Amino acid sequence: MTAPRSVAATVDQANADRAGAVVGYLPAGYPDVQTSVDAAVAMAENGVDVIELGLPYSDPVMDGPVIQRAAEESLANGFRVAQVFDAVHAITERADVPVLVMTYWNPVLRYGVDRFADDLVAAGASGLITPDLIPDEGQQWIDASERTGLDRVFLAAPSSTDVRMQQAVDRSRGFVYAVSTMGVTGARTGVDVAARTVVSRLRDAGVERTCVGLGISTADQVAEVLEYADGAIIGSAFVRALADLGVAGVGARAAELAAGAARR
């Protein structure tokens, strides 16, 4: 088994080669496991640097309606937690990009934190994004990720205190996920100006890499975000493309959005 691709090295390379990294999100198992794998590979083949594979969850408090509906359909079709490892393995067998699993914390706890970490490593995943796990309550995951070498991506939001912001910087590995707006995910016509403030505060706290998510849906927004952040995270736009246009539509959308990263 080869070591998973380094998220940090991938983000750094994207910033050396062009304006920054493009991170693409899709929920595992939507509309079925094979299609979600094919769509993730299509993103990687069309300019997406890092895959964020969502673990469908019954109470996705941070997800907007597009992603919620996709997760609900995946669960209704019988998706189970263990299948995320199959999906990761299938993606990493076909695409030479890091894969981060985005998951709420309850499924990891129920599965077993150490078991989850070990199965992530075996599948070829690079780490976890944990939107509802705050760093000072994440010692179990910090310990498991230290043992296995997995990346851990914590979130920073406009509402984060300076102490919480510093914790996210100190305890994340790979990058810090900067939430650009208060509320749930979803494509918006303009990326909130709050994103610049969050990134600025993270820079003041010494962050090495930060990627901005929540609301990015156009190449212009990708270019705008990469003026001040190290990566742009896109979710709902890809999920909508998969729902409306299938795998080919996801590939085309990836190429369109990745073009924003070519602008300096």
PDB file of all heavy atoms in Angstrom, residues 8 105 169 243:
ATOM      1  N   ALA A   8      -0.860  18.942   2.474  1.00  0.00           N
ATOM      2  CA  ALA A   8      -0.041  20.145   2.578  1.00  0.00           C
ATOM      3  C   ALA A   8       0.815  20.325   1.327  1.00  0.00           C
ATOM      4  O   ALA A   8       0.874  21.429   0.755  1.00  0.00           O
ATOM      5  CB  ALA A   8       0.844  20.072   3.823  1.00  0.00           C
ATOM      6  N   TRP A 105     -19.069  14.216  13.726  1.00  0.00           N
ATOM      7  CA  TRP A 105     -18.290  13.418  14.664  1.00  0.00           C
ATOM      8  C   TRP A 105     -19.025  12.169  15.166  1.00  0.00           C
ATOM      9  O   TRP A 105     -18.404  11.147  15.448  1.00  0.00           O
ATOM     10  CB  TRP A 105     -17.855  14.293  15.842  1.00  0.00           C
ATOM     11  CG  TRP A 105     -16.867  13.619  16.737  1.00  0.00           C
ATOM     12  CD1 TRP A 105     -16.976  13.400  18.072  1.00  0.00           C
ATOM     13  CD2 TRP A 105     -15.593  13.064  16.352  1.00  0.00           C
ATOM     14  NE1 TRP A 105     -15.864  12.758  18.546  1.00  0.00           N
ATOM     15  CE2 TRP A 105     -14.999  12.537  17.505  1.00  0.00           C
ATOM     16  CE3 TRP A 105     -14.916  12.953  15.142  1.00  0.00           C
ATOM     17  CZ2 TRP A 105     -13.750  11.910  17.492  1.00  0.00           C
ATOM     18  CZ3 TRP A 105     -13.681  12.328  15.115  1.00  0.00           C
ATOM     19  CH2 TRP A 105     -13.114  11.819  16.263  1.00  0.00           C
ATOM     20  N   VAL A 169      -5.524  26.640  14.350  1.00  0.00           N
ATOM     21  CA  VAL A 169      -4.220  26.737  13.682  1.00  0.00           C
ATOM     22  C   VAL A 169      -3.239  25.717  14.261  1.00  0.00           C
ATOM     23  O   VAL A 169      -2.555  24.995  13.532  1.00  0.00           O
ATOM     24  CB  VAL A 169      -3.658  28.166  13.817  1.00  0.00           C
ATOM     25  CG1 VAL A 169      -2.205  28.225  13.358  1.00  0.00           C
ATOM     26  CG2 VAL A 169      -4.510  29.146  13.023  1.00  0.00           C
ATOM     27  N   ALA A 243     -26.303  16.102 -10.012  1.00  0.00           N
ATOM     28  CA  ALA A 243     -27.741  15.844 -10.038  1.00  0.00           C
ATOM     29  C   ALA A 243     -28.345  16.158 -11.409  1.00  0.00           C
ATOM     30  O   ALA A 243     -29.190  15.421 -11.912  1.00  0.00           O
ATOM     31  CB  ALA A 243     -28.438  16.672  -8.959  1.00  0.00           C
TER      32      ALA A 243
END
